[in-house]
PDB file of all heavy atoms in Angstrom:
ATOM      1  N   ARG A  68     127.472 142.473 103.741  1.00  0.00           N
ATOM      2  CA  ARG A  68     126.509 143.157 104.623  1.00  0.00           C
ATOM      3  C   ARG A  68     126.006 142.179 105.627  1.00  0.00           C
ATOM      4  O   ARG A  68     125.386 141.126 105.359  1.00  0.00           O
ATOM      5  CB  ARG A  68     125.364 143.891 103.803  1.00  0.00           C
ATOM      6  CG  ARG A  68     124.483 144.693 104.833  1.00  0.00           C
ATOM      7  CD  ARG A  68     123.269 145.329 104.126  1.00  0.00           C
ATOM      8  NE  ARG A  68     123.732 146.195 103.097  1.00  0.00           N
ATOM      9  CZ  ARG A  68     123.394 146.208 101.865  1.00  0.00           C
ATOM     10  NH1 ARG A  68     122.758 145.296 101.458  1.00  0.00           N
ATOM     11  NH2 ARG A  68     123.807 147.136 101.009  1.00  0.00           N
ATOM     12  N   TYR A  69     126.247 142.484 106.922  1.00  0.00           N
ATOM     13  CA  TYR A  69     125.712 141.739 107.969  1.00  0.00           C
ATOM     14  C   TYR A  69     124.332 142.415 108.334  1.00  0.00           C
ATOM     15  O   TYR A  69     124.128 143.463 108.633  1.00  0.00           O
ATOM     16  CB  TYR A  69     126.630 141.825 109.347  1.00  0.00           C
ATOM     17  CG  TYR A  69     127.886 141.016 109.045  1.00  0.00           C
ATOM     18  CD1 TYR A  69     128.958 141.356 108.212  1.00  0.00           C
ATOM     19  CD2 TYR A  69     127.931 139.725 109.635  1.00  0.00           C
ATOM     20  CE1 TYR A  69     129.963 140.610 107.982  1.00  0.00           C
ATOM     21  CE2 TYR A  69     129.077 138.966 109.464  1.00  0.00           C
ATOM     22  CZ  TYR A  69     130.089 139.418 108.646  1.00  0.00           C
ATOM     23  OH  TYR A  69     131.192 138.593 108.440  1.00  0.00           O
ATOM     24  N   THR A  70     123.195 141.366 108.285  1.00  0.00           N
ATOM     25  CA  THR A  70     121.880 141.870 108.357  1.00  0.00           C
ATOM     26  C   THR A  70     121.045 141.224 109.441  1.00  0.00           C
ATOM     27  O   THR A  70     119.840 141.287 109.480  1.00  0.00           O
ATOM     28  CB  THR A  70     121.085 141.673 107.030  1.00  0.00           C
ATOM     29  OG1 THR A  70     121.011 140.255 106.698  1.00  0.00           O
ATOM     30  CG2 THR A  70     121.925 142.299 105.886  1.00  0.00           C
ATOM     31  N   GLY A  71     121.668 140.427 110.363  1.00  0.00           N
ATOM     32  CA  GLY A  71     120.956 139.599 111.247  1.00  0.00           C
ATOM     33  C   GLY A  71     119.917 140.296 112.131  1.00  0.00           C
ATOM     34  O   GLY A  71     120.154 141.576 112.353  1.00  0.00           O
ATOM     35  N   GLY A  76     121.502 143.722 112.344  1.00  0.00           N
ATOM     36  CA  GLY A  76     122.728 144.160 111.712  1.00  0.00           C
ATOM     37  C   GLY A  76     124.144 143.878 112.245  1.00  0.00           C
ATOM     38  O   GLY A  76     125.055 144.564 111.794  1.00  0.00           O
ATOM     39  N   CYS A 100     131.384 134.541 112.992  1.00  0.00           N
ATOM     40  CA  CYS A 100     130.890 135.577 112.124  1.00  0.00           C
ATOM     41  C   CYS A 100     131.639 135.680 110.782  1.00  0.00           C
ATOM     42  O   CYS A 100     131.099 136.225 109.851  1.00  0.00           O
ATOM     43  CB  CYS A 100     131.025 136.918 112.861  1.00  0.00           C
ATOM     44  SG  CYS A 100     130.143 136.957 114.439  1.00  0.00           S
ATOM     45  N   TYR A 122     131.258 142.504 114.087  1.00  0.00           N
ATOM     46  CA  TYR A 122     130.978 142.790 112.701  1.00  0.00           C
ATOM     47  C   TYR A 122     129.582 143.471 112.717  1.00  0.00           C
ATOM     48  O   TYR A 122     128.709 143.155 113.334  1.00  0.00           O
ATOM     49  CB  TYR A 122     130.872 141.494 111.886  1.00  0.00           C
ATOM     50  CG  TYR A 122     132.127 140.682 112.004  1.00  0.00           C
ATOM     51  CD1 TYR A 122     132.498 139.994 113.101  1.00  0.00           C
ATOM     52  CD2 TYR A 122     132.879 140.612 110.781  1.00  0.00           C
ATOM     53  CE1 TYR A 122     133.647 139.262 113.092  1.00  0.00           C
ATOM     54  CE2 TYR A 122     134.093 139.872 110.880  1.00  0.00           C
ATOM     55  CZ  TYR A 122     134.503 139.101 111.981  1.00  0.00           C
ATOM     56  OH  TYR A 122     135.746 138.460 112.074  1.00  0.00           O
ATOM     57  N   GLY A 124     126.998 145.949 109.745  1.00  0.00           N
ATOM     58  CA  GLY A 124     126.765 146.551 108.424  1.00  0.00           C
ATOM     59  C   GLY A 124     127.648 146.046 107.338  1.00  0.00           C
ATOM     60  O   GLY A 124     127.833 144.882 107.264  1.00  0.00           O
ATOM     61  N   GLU A 126     130.920 145.286 105.391  1.00  0.00           N
ATOM     62  CA  GLU A 126     132.327 144.892 105.709  1.00  0.00           C
ATOM     63  C   GLU A 126     132.980 144.642 104.218  1.00  0.00           C
ATOM     64  O   GLU A 126     132.425 143.986 103.394  1.00  0.00           O
ATOM     65  CB  GLU A 126     132.380 143.607 106.352  1.00  0.00           C
ATOM     66  CG  GLU A 126     131.876 143.643 107.798  1.00  0.00           C
ATOM     67  CD  GLU A 126     132.598 144.351 108.855  1.00  0.00           C
ATOM     68  OE1 GLU A 126     133.736 144.621 108.512  1.00  0.00           O
ATOM     69  OE2 GLU A 126     132.062 144.684 109.874  1.00  0.00           O
ATOM     70  N   ALA A 150     126.116 134.058 111.434  1.00  0.00           N
ATOM     71  CA  ALA A 150     125.720 135.322 111.013  1.00  0.00           C
ATOM     72  C   ALA A 150     124.928 135.196 109.660  1.00  0.00           C
ATOM     73  O   ALA A 150     124.869 134.242 108.942  1.00  0.00           O
ATOM     74  CB  ALA A 150     126.937 136.228 110.677  1.00  0.00           C
ATOM     75  N   VAL A 151     124.007 136.222 109.586  1.00  0.00           N
ATOM     76  CA  VAL A 151     123.291 136.382 108.378  1.00  0.00           C
ATOM     77  C   VAL A 151     124.052 137.417 107.547  1.00  0.00           C
ATOM     78  O   VAL A 151     124.217 138.580 107.809  1.00  0.00           O
ATOM     79  CB  VAL A 151     121.917 136.939 108.536  1.00  0.00           C
ATOM     80  CG1 VAL A 151     121.014 137.111 107.311  1.00  0.00           C
ATOM     81  CG2 VAL A 151     121.094 136.093 109.585  1.00  0.00           C
ATOM     82  N   VAL A 152     124.495 136.993 106.380  1.00  0.00           N
ATOM     83  CA  VAL A 152     125.525 137.747 105.521  1.00  0.00           C
ATOM     84  C   VAL A 152     124.839 137.916 104.117  1.00  0.00           C
ATOM     85  O   VAL A 152     124.647 136.798 103.546  1.00  0.00           O
ATOM     86  CB  VAL A 152     126.881 137.074 105.601  1.00  0.00           C
ATOM     87  CG1 VAL A 152     127.810 137.916 104.601  1.00  0.00           C
ATOM     88  CG2 VAL A 152     127.385 136.915 106.850  1.00  0.00           C
TER      89      VAL A 152
END
Side-chain angles (χ1 to χ4, degrees):
R68 181 183 296 124
Y69 285 76
T70 66
C100 300
Y122 299 75
E126 300 280 351
V151 183
V152 184

